[in-house]
Amino acid sequence: MAHFVITNKQFERKDGTSQIIVRYTWEGKHYSKKILGLHCKKDDLDPFAQQVTKGFDKETLRGINNKITEIKLRASSILLEYEDPAPKFFFSKLFAEPKEEKQKKATDLIDLYKQWTDSEATSKVYSTTLPHLIDFKESRGNLLQVEEYSKILLKEFEAHLMKNGYIQNNRRIENGEVTKGRSSDERIMFKHSALKKHMKHFKFFGKYLTDLELPIKQSFRDYTFSIPSPEIPDTIALTKEEFDEFFYFDLENNFDLRLAQAAFIIGTAAGGIRISDLYNLTKESFDMQNFSVSFTQIKTGGDVHNPLNEEYIKPHLEFYLENLHKMPTEQEFNRRLKEIGNLIGWERTEVVNEYRGNSKRPTKIKVAIKDNISSKYMRKTFISMLVELGYTKEVIKSFSGHRDDKVIDHYIQLHHHTKREAILGFTPIKPKKDI
């Protein structure tokens, strides 16, 4: 006989909460539908009373439980009225709204985007796009309706960002070299990476709109960014010597910097993992018996099983695992890495290609490693060190996941050895036993 329960999804968000859902059992199989806007920690939901009993102030708890009670009463009524209803029919009735209620729903995309970031979005980083959407709406005569959401609107927003997206200038470029300077009224156009980030947020927002069953054009899924990424991205990374300086640098008396140091070392020495995967690691990701790490990549969905380097990871792993819940935002993590780089005092500079605004051609600028290091260095540094140590492309690709050799070939060029270096390195080593 069909029945339902109020429970949580297995997946936990970064704040430790998970989506509250209605799980419907029909003919021995489980089906679920989320209750929009409701999240809590799994231990805060009483499985018997099917009410949230803690984790929020009294007023919030009352609002959550009133909504759960309303859902329970409606579900019970459906099961009484219809004999053993199929899942699709059950959920359509459970979450159906009268036409007049649907008409009352917000049709302004800004209001809906605020609603999404306040209650549904899994990361607060999505809210960084909101000011640009507000500016976009103003540029369109204060019109930005849900019915317009489509591939065409995404392209229009992209063009708006390319033309109007900027940050305040807090640096100077003299003779192609970046130096720190006072903030000024000068504006610098967004980098292509920032443009793509905001477009990714706005596109992902479309899934929320489909969940609300609002009248949008599904063509938004076909949107692709107009300006392609460079064929070979900048491969700026730490050298083996610099990584070892970072590893041995004493930060025992500075908790925040020590945690950033530990996370960067683990992210690099565990195979050069991406920041999104690093943030999703848990204690269960680590197999201490075989000293390895396993996880599913967020970007590609591939399963990763990497052995760990004990010399690099063991000194930091216990501290890192104890403080996983204190990991800073990605922006703060990157700021701390730069602070460590400046404390170490790296002097090396590199020339990088910088793409901004709607320009298809890069500007070459010189940047200091200590002011450029970020979470992206974990992956790049690991690849660079393997190349520097002479490992084959096949071994490197087994860690990095690259399908072709272009990026790895670029690292090889960076670590190119001259004929003279090869001859000087070709030296006899006396055997331990006399021959």
Side-chain angles (χ1 to χ4, degrees), residues 191-291:
K191 287 184 181 180
H192 284 191
S193 57
L195 290 169
K196 290 185 177 182
K197 176 190 73 174
H198 291 303
M199 293 309 304
K200 182 180 75 173
H201 295 171
F202 196 35
K203 182 179 179 180
F204 192 58
F205 169 59
K207 187 179 183 303
Y208 174 68
L209 298 179
T210 58
D211 287 344
L212 291 180
E213 298 181 356
L214 291 172
I216 64 172
K217 298 179 179 67
Q218 292 297 311
S219 64
F220 81 87
R221 300 181 188 277
D222 299 330
Y223 161 78
T224 54
F225 198 69
S226 295
I227 298 178
S229 300
E231 188 173 353
I232 300 296
D234 287 320
T235 47
I236 183 171
L238 299 184
T239 64
K240 174 77 165 53
E241 182 181 353
E242 287 166 341
F243 184 67
D244 287 343
E245 284 181 317
F246 187 94
F247 172 74
Y248 283 111
F249 196 72
D250 185 6
L251 292 167
E252 196 68 33
N253 296 322
N254 190 319
F255 176 87
D256 289 346
L257 296 187
R258 186 186 173 198
L259 182 57
Q261 178 191 42
F264 185 87
I265 289 167
I266 289 167
T268 303
I273 65 179
R274 296 182 179 91
I275 183 66
S276 55
D277 296 324
L278 179 72
Y279 276 125
N280 275 314
L281 293 182
T282 64
K283 291 183 180 181
E284 289 69 34
S285 304
F286 293 87
D287 179 350
M288 305 310 293
Q289 185 174 353
N290 298 306
F291 213 64

Side-chain angles (χ1 to χ4, degrees), residues 21-54:
I21 61 172
V22 179
R23 189 175 68 196
Y24 182 60
T25 303
W26 185 73
E27 294 186 348
K29 294 183 180 180
H30 299 306
Y31 304 85
S32 64
K33 197 86 169 177
K34 61 185 179 181
I35 306 175
L36 291 177
L38 295 194
H39 304 85
C40 72
K41 292 183 178 178
K42 293 179 181 178
D43 292 341
D44 294 345
L45 179 62
D46 186 325
F48 299 104
Q50 294 186 49
Q51 294 274 282
V52 179
T53 57
K54 54 184 178 177

Side-chain angles (χ1 to χ4, degrees), residues 168-195:
Q168 288 297 125
N169 187 12
N170 62 353
R171 62 184 194 165
R172 294 192 303 270
I173 301 178
E174 297 175 358
N175 300 320
E177 186 168 351
V178 175
T179 58
K180 290 182 177 179
R182 292 181 303 172
S183 296
S184 70
D185 293 332
E186 183 186 358
R187 297 174 174 184
I188 305 178
M189 300 304 294
F190 275 150
K191 287 184 181 180
H192 284 191
S193 57
L195 290 169

Side-chain angles (χ1 to χ4, degrees), residues 131 158 406:
E158 176 190 318
K406 289 180 181 178

Side-chain angles (χ1 to χ4, degrees), residues 1 27-28 44 49 64 75 87 89 105 107 173 182 205 207 252 259 304 306 321 340 345 350-351 353 410 435:
M1 186 175 177
E27 294 186 348
D44 294 345
I64 291 172
F89 180 83
K105 275 187 175 177
T107 59
I173 301 178
R182 292 181 303 172
F205 169 59
K207 187 179 183 303
E252 196 68 33
L259 182 57
V304 173
N306 283 347
L321 292 178
I340 296 171
E350 287 281 351
V351 175
N353 292 325
H410 198 63
I435 297 177

